[in-house]
Amino acid sequence: RVLRADGRLAVMWNERERVQDPTTAEYSRLMREASGDHPADRAYDDPTPLLLAAGWRLEPPGAFANAQALDREGLLRRAQSASYAPKEGPAAERLARGLEAIHARFAGPDGRVWLCYATRIVAARRPG
């Protein structure tokens, strides 16, 4: 409603690389277990159907590799910031132990692990 006629919109989101990168794959497995396989941990809402239904003209989609470097504390906070992650109790304690193990196994000499993503971009032009 605030975009003028013939204006452009870009929607971007990150999808975790769940297969090729071992650190991110292990993080994803742990988050899936901790969340009870919560749908928000695996589902990404592609805006394409909504834009097409509203008559927007789509531009070619884009994607690029992206990564997030996290120290031990950053890894814990990253996981805990997910709405579907357990915040207290035995499940939260198991998650914290699992994250500690991921950090111990995969951290580089600088003390950081890397979570790898594909950043997806959908761009469209508003009809008008």
Side-chain angles (χ1 to χ4, degrees):
R1 295 174 72 177
V2 297
L3 188 64
R4 69 175 189 249
D6 209 36
R8 292 182 182 191
L9 168 75
V11 180
M12 298 172 47
W13 67 97
N14 288 318
E15 293 180 3
R16 278 197 310 266
E17 172 50 64
R18 297 169 188 262
V19 177
Q20 294 177 346
D21 176 67
T23 306
T24 310
E26 185 62 18
Y27 175 87
S28 295
R29 183 196 63 75
L30 184 63
M31 291 299 287
R32 190 172 46 256
E33 286 178 7
S35 71
D37 199 25
H38 193 283
D41 182 49
R42 57 185 153 76
Y44 297 95
D45 292 328
D46 182 347
T48 302
L50 179 63
L51 294 169
L52 287 172
W56 290 65
R57 293 186 306 269
L58 294 177
E59 297 182 9
F64 60 90
N66 191 7
Q68 183 179 27
L70 299 162
D71 62 12
R72 185 186 140 286
E73 186 67 22
L75 182 64
L76 292 168
R77 290 182 188 267
R78 169 66 191 94
Q80 292 167 343
S81 73
S83 62
Y84 49 85
K87 307 296 188 240
E88 56 187 31
E93 292 168 13
R94 280 192 304 275
L95 175 60
R97 284 193 306 273
L99 293 166
E100 294 278 352
I102 288 172
H103 185 268
R105 180 176 174 197
F106 294 109
D110 62 356
R112 297 185 304 173
V113 296
W114 291 84
L115 296 182
C116 298
Y117 302 90
T119 298
R120 308 277 181 208
I121 305 167
V122 173
R125 186 179 297 268
R126 183 175 178 199

